[in-house]
């Protein structure tokens, strides 16, 4: 049966039917193909004679046929038009056994009072590939965009961090220049004036006054040496040029060296009271430990009045060496204690006393290099207590 016979039309409708660039099938209630246009033969590889009388379910893979028969009967009970793009996407089966993805839209008509279904079939395999390719491209573009945004964000953060560090470095340089010019000028002026007075007193035979000026020169030179050592030690720490190298150390001999070295820096009447609760020999980096203790003792002396005692206690418990350095000095204002280990920081109540503001920064770096911790308690006008805990190597 042909479309022209069904519609009692000649030529024109048959030409339109056969020349359509979409597959068209006419199927009866039993699912038997009654008619097919030329494009269907191109899609499925059958000739027209093979298609007519064939069950439409044969154009589907075997696994889908039973389900399709159910859908077909359901559609016949309540037929509705399904426009292209709103129809079903199915795997269609060619005569040679290959398959393709087909988009199917449906229409229906009555022929001699019986329902007939018109199926419009289009091969959308290439379109699906293009859509999949487009989706993949969109996904990659989205990922690239997100990655680019993340990179821009990271670069922005890096630039902001670099700018902040540059500003901080600029501020540190300004503080360093200001501090250095002041700290170096004072001892140099003292050396110059003391040298002139020393020459005068030596010419006049005053040995006692001459000795006082010699002591002033020594103290000024020692202060300059301390300044330079602070800068050099900090530079070495920043460059990671100092390594932790524990070796067996005689604590008694080490303490003797510490007391001898700190003695010239103490004010009149100041004494270091030492309590040692450690074995005679322990494995420690005596150089780093010496720098930690000397810096803390020097600060305790500097910020304490004459005759005020300074306490140094060493205790070894559970492979941890604990150092306690306590003084009865000026103490640190509570509001400023959070900045105590910041480079060049000096509390407001010690600005009249010489100092670089680097010693505690250096101490903290030494302690961290030894995997230790440092903490303190301080009350203004009552003194400070620093506690250093250093784990000893196995």
């Amino acid at each position: 049966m042909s479309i022209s016979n069904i519609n009692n039309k000649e030529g024109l409708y048959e030409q339109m039917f056969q020349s359509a660039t979409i597959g068209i099938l006419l199927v009866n209630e039993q699912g038997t193909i009654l008619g097919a246009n030329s494009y269907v033969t191109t899609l499925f590889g059958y000739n027209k004679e093979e298609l007519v009388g064939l069950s439409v379910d044969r154009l589907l893979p075997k696994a889908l046929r039973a389900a399709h028969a159910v859908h077909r009967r359901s559609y016949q009970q309540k037929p509705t038009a399904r426009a292209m793009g709103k129809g079903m996407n199915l795997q269609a089966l060619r005569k040679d056994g290959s398959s393709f993805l087909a988009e199917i839209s449906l229409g229906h008509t009555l022929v001699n009072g019986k329902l007939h279904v018109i199926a419009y079939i289009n091969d959308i395999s290439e379109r699906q590939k293009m859509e999949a390719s487009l989706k993949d491209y969109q996904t990659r573009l989205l990922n690239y965009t997100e990655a680019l945004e993340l990179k821009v964000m990271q670069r922005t953060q890096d630039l902001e961090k670099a700018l902040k560090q540059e500003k901080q470095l600029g501020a540190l340089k300004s503080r360093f220049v200001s501090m250095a010019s002041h700290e170096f000028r004072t001892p140099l002026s003292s050396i110059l004036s003391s040298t002139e007075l020393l020459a005068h007193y030596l010419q006049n035979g005053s040995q006692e006054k001459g000795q006082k000026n010699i002591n002033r020169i020594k103290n000024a030179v020692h202060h300059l040496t301390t300044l330079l050592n602070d800068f050099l030690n900090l530079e070495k720490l920043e460059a990671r040029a100092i390594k932790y190298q524990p070796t067996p150390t005689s604590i008694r001999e080490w303490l003797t060296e510490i007391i001898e070295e700190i003695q010239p820096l103490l004010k009149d009447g100041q004494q270091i009271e030492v309590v040692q609760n450690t074995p005679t020999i322990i494995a420690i980096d005596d150089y780093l430990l010496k720098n930690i203790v000397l810096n803390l003792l020097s600060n305790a002396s500097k910020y304490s009045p004459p005759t005020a005692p300074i306490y140094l206690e060493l205790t070894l418990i559970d492979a941890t060496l604990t150092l306690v350095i306590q003084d009865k000095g000026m103490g640190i204002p509570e509001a400023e204690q959070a900045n105590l280990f910041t480079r060049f920081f000096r509390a407001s109540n010690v600005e009249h006393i010489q100092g670089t503001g680097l010693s505690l920064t250096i101490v903290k770096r030494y302690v961290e290099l030894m995997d230790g911790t440092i903490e303190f308690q301080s009350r203004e006008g009552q003194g400070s207590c620093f506690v250093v805990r250093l784990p000893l190597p196995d």
Side-chain angles (χ1 to χ4, degrees):
M1 181 182 295
S2 69
I3 293 295
S4 58
N5 292 332
I6 293 173
N7 292 282
N8 294 319
K9 299 292 183 181
E10 296 180 357
L12 179 61
Y13 289 151
E14 182 73 19
Q15 284 185 338
M16 292 173 61
F17 176 66
Q18 295 298 341
S19 63
T21 56
I22 188 171
I24 304 174
L25 289 176
L26 180 65
V27 182
N28 65 14
E29 291 178 333
Q30 289 74 40
T32 301
I33 299 173
L34 301 179
N37 72 342
S38 299
Y39 198 78
V40 170
T41 64
T42 302
L43 289 176
F44 290 92
Y46 292 93
N47 59 42
K48 293 181 183 180
E49 290 74 16
E50 290 174 320
L51 284 170
V52 174
L54 188 69
S55 172
V56 72
D57 295 337
R58 292 284 299 277
L59 301 181
L60 299 173
K62 288 182 179 181
L64 301 178
R65 290 174 186 174
H68 181 260
V70 174
H71 289 305
R72 180 167 48 77
R73 288 191 291 271
S74 176
Y75 179 82
Q76 290 172 351
Q77 293 173 4
K78 192 176 180 180
T80 56
R82 293 179 182 171
M84 188 66 71
K86 296 184 179 180
M88 295 186 297
N89 293 344
L90 293 174
Q91 284 291 329
L93 184 67
R94 298 187 180 94
K95 180 181 177 180
D96 63 7
S98 62
S99 62
F100 64 92
L101 188 62
E103 182 181 57
I104 301 173
S105 60
L106 301 176
H108 62 280
T109 186
L110 292 175
V111 178
N112 299 324
K114 294 184 178 181
L115 179 69
H116 287 63
V117 177
I118 305 171
Y120 301 91
I121 307 169
N122 191 24
D123 184 351
I124 59 171
S125 301
E126 290 301 320
R127 190 178 78 189
Q128 286 289 317
K129 290 180 181 178
M130 292 179 62
E131 289 177 352
S133 178
L134 178 60
K135 186 176 181 180
D136 178 64
Y137 173 77
Q138 289 174 333
T139 300
R140 287 189 287 112
L141 181 61
L142 180 61
N143 291 339
Y144 174 77
T145 302
E146 291 176 348
L148 184 60
E149 289 177 352
L150 184 63
K151 189 173 183 179
V152 170
M153 185 184 301
Q154 184 64 49
R155 176 61 67 87
T156 302
Q157 291 175 349
D158 290 343
L159 289 174
E160 289 176 349
K161 183 179 179 180
L163 181 60
K164 183 178 180 180
Q165 289 176 340
E166 187 174 347
K167 288 181 178 179
Q168 291 175 341
L169 182 59
L172 285 175
K173 286 180 178 179
S174 297
R175 291 169 64 184
F176 169 75
V177 171
S178 175
M179 180 276 300
S181 62
H182 171 74
E183 291 296 326
F184 278 91
R185 185 186 301 114
T186 301
L188 287 173
S189 298
S190 177
I191 290 172
L192 179 62
S193 61
S194 295
T195 302
E196 293 173 348
L197 288 171
L198 177 61
H200 171 74
Y201 290 134
L202 289 176
Q203 288 177 357
N204 290 277
S206 179
Q207 296 293 330
E208 181 180 353
K209 292 183 178 180
Q211 186 61 46
K212 287 183 178 180
N213 283 279
I214 290 174
N215 292 337
R216 285 182 62 194
I217 292 172
K218 287 181 177 179
N219 290 335
V221 170
H222 185 275
H223 180 62
L224 285 174
T225 302
T226 301
L227 288 175
L228 291 173
N229 284 337
D230 283 349
F231 295 140
L232 291 174
N233 287 336
L234 185 59
E235 182 181 0
K236 289 179 181 178
L237 285 166
E238 295 288 348
R240 302 182 183 275
I242 299 177
K243 305 297 181 182
Y244 178 37
Q245 298 175 328
T247 57
T249 300
S250 170
I251 294 300
R252 185 176 299 278
E253 293 179 5
W254 177 85
L255 279 171
T256 300
E257 291 179 7
I258 290 289
I259 300 304
E260 289 178 354
E261 194 162 336
I262 197 68
Q263 199 65 44
L265 304 180
L266 299 178
K267 296 176 182 176
D268 292 339
Q270 286 182 343
Q271 294 292 329
I272 307 294
E273 299 184 13
V274 179
V275 176
Q276 179 189 349
N277 296 310
T278 69
T280 304
I281 305 293
I282 63 174
I284 196 74
D285 189 319
D286 60 336
Y287 172 79
L288 297 182
L289 189 64
K290 179 180 179 181
N291 277 279
I292 291 170
V293 173
L294 281 178
N295 271 286
L296 292 175
L297 289 178
S298 176
N299 283 347
S301 171
K302 185 188 301 184
Y303 302 124
S304 296
T307 73
I310 299 169
Y311 304 95
L312 169 61
E313 181 179 348
L314 294 87
T315 304
L316 180 62
I317 300 177
D318 297 331
T320 297
L321 178 64
T322 301
L323 309 174
V324 179
I325 294 90
Q326 186 173 3
D327 63 62
K328 303 293 183 181
M330 304 173 66
I332 306 158
E334 185 175 355
E336 301 176 20
Q337 291 182 10
N339 299 318
L340 191 61
F341 296 104
T342 303
R343 282 183 294 183
F344 302 115
F345 172 78
R346 307 201 69 219
S348 57
N349 61 340
V350 299
E351 291 179 347
H352 62 288
I353 300 175
Q354 290 181 335
T356 63
L358 289 176
S359 61
L360 288 179
T361 302
I362 293 171
V363 166
K364 189 171 188 298
R365 294 294 296 273
Y366 280 140
V367 170
E368 291 173 346
L369 187 62
M370 301 170 75
D371 293 326
T373 62
I374 181 170
E375 55 190 46
F376 69 94
Q377 292 181 343
S378 183
R379 295 188 66 178
E380 191 171 7
Q382 297 185 28
S384 302
C385 179
F386 286 83
V387 179
V388 176
R389 293 183 175 87
L390 303 170
L392 299 186
D394 296 333

